[in-house]
Amino acid sequence: MSARTIAKLIGKDIEETKDILERMVQEGKILKINNRYALHTIIDIFDVPIMVPPEQFKDEKVRKLAELSENFFKKRWHKEIFGSKRPFLRVIPVEQTIKRSQQKVSCAEELSERLKKAKTIVKTLCPCRTRQEILGKRKCDYPLEGCLMLDFHGDLIAKIGKGKVISYEEAMDWLNEATQLGLVHLVENCEDGPYFFVCSCCPCCCIGLRGLLELGDPRAVAPSNYICLLYTSPSPRDLSTSRMPSS
């Protein structure tokens, strides 16, 4: 919607309306696209406004928002957002001696391929760990920065100062570090894109993993499209013909 249309709807003059809208954009509460204003996707309404610098963690409004979003997660999120038969999020593995699955959703499986296709990569605070930090409930010591926002989504996040544009190499360095730390990589569960994010998640803070582990909702996260097989030595890589281990 244009500022003029919104001004008429709320009964305020155009300049006052623009001031309100611009403040909401900078706070991450709404989007501004080509001089028009729009609501975020549901996950961004839930996450972006609390992606604030540490000096604002004790701000009363920020804490209240964190409390409201945490309560919404526990009472409504898993019923409304995780209510679909098709999970919103999906786990993807690191690229270490694995072969492609024949599953339907597999064409963008590797992290590096997803990032190579991105024109913009923005590293941001992890909203899930940030939320728990603000509430004083965080159980882990993983880095607060940890999410990668891509392309259009990343551009919008960077424009309001809630993330830093990084290179493909920097993104891969972070994902390799996150893998070594034991974080789980989650992406949106779609095959053809557009792609918006790659998150490096912990089970104590991540809404997806908490939905699965804490709330017991199997629709919270789709599993990886890979299956791990353990072989006895020598492995099939060492043999001219692959074989399964004897039972």
Side-chain angles (χ1 to χ4, degrees):
M1 272 186 200
S2 68
R4 189 173 300 279
T5 299
I6 295 171
K8 290 179 180 179
L9 289 173
I10 65 176
K12 295 185 181 293
D13 67 66
I14 184 68
E15 293 306 318
E16 184 181 0
T17 300
K18 284 183 177 180
D19 288 342
I20 294 170
L21 291 171
E22 288 301 319
R23 185 175 70 250
M24 293 179 71
V25 168
Q26 290 304 313
E27 292 174 348
K29 295 174 181 175
I30 60 173
L31 298 171
K32 183 179 182 181
I33 307 169
N34 297 327
N35 290 320
R36 302 180 77 84
Y37 301 89
L39 293 176
H40 281 293
T41 62
I42 182 60
I43 196 166
D44 283 343
I45 289 174
F46 188 72
D47 284 343
V48 173
I50 64 168
M51 292 162 59
V52 298
E55 57 267 24
Q56 295 182 31
F57 285 179
K58 294 185 178 180
D59 181 276
E60 183 178 346
K61 290 183 179 180
V62 171
R63 183 175 179 82
K64 183 62 176 179
L65 184 57
E67 289 174 350
L68 289 171
S69 60
E70 176 72 3
N71 289 337
F72 178 74
F73 163 71
K74 290 182 176 179
K75 295 178 180 179
R76 302 290 296 276
W77 180 272
H78 67 293
K79 295 178 181 178
E80 298 185 14
I81 311 304
F82 294 157
S84 170
K85 292 181 180 179
R86 178 178 178 176
F88 173 70
L89 300 168
R90 177 166 56 93
V91 175
I92 56 176
V94 295
E95 300 174 28
Q96 294 179 357
T97 317
I98 48 181
K99 296 182 180 180
R100 280 191 179 275
S101 163
Q102 297 303 310
Q103 296 288 336
K104 181 179 179 182
V105 184
S106 62
C107 70
E109 195 67 46
E110 290 86 355
L111 287 167
S112 61
E113 288 303 311
R114 181 173 289 233
L115 294 178
K116 282 178 182 177
K117 294 175 182 178
K119 294 180 180 179
T120 304
I121 305 172
V122 176
K123 189 177 183 183
T124 73
L125 288 173
C126 167
C128 297
R129 287 196 282 278
T130 299
R131 181 181 296 106
Q132 296 306 308
E133 182 72 19
I134 291 169
L135 295 174
K137 297 180 179 180
R138 191 155 76 106
K139 300 175 182 177
C140 68
D141 59 358
Y142 295 115
L144 279 178
E145 280 194 335
C147 290
L148 303 179
M149 306 298 179
L150 311 179
D151 291 333
F152 173 77
H153 197 196
D155 288 332
L156 292 173
I157 295 296
K159 188 174 181 180
I160 60 174
K162 290 184 178 289
K164 176 186 177 183
V165 177
I166 63 174
S167 67
Y168 164 80
E169 290 77 17
E170 289 172 317
M172 288 306 300
D173 284 346
W174 157 244
L175 292 177
N176 288 330
E177 178 186 345
T179 298
Q180 293 301 314
L181 290 172
L183 295 171
V184 177
H185 304 303
L186 295 183
V187 297
E188 61 270 65
N189 186 23
C190 65
E191 181 174 3
D192 298 321
Y195 306 120
F196 295 113
F197 61 85
V198 177
C199 292
S200 298
C201 306
C202 57
C204 55
C205 299
C206 170
I207 57 170
L209 297 180
R210 286 178 65 202
L212 182 66
L213 302 172
E214 183 179 321
L215 301 180
D217 192 335
R219 300 166 300 181
V221 179
S224 165
N225 291 340
Y226 290 117
I227 298 174
C228 176
L229 296 178
L230 298 179
Y231 292 89
T232 56
S233 183
S235 74
R237 293 174 57 195
D238 302 320
L239 301 174
S240 58
T241 303
S242 298
R243 64 176 177 84
M244 291 292 291
S246 58
S247 57

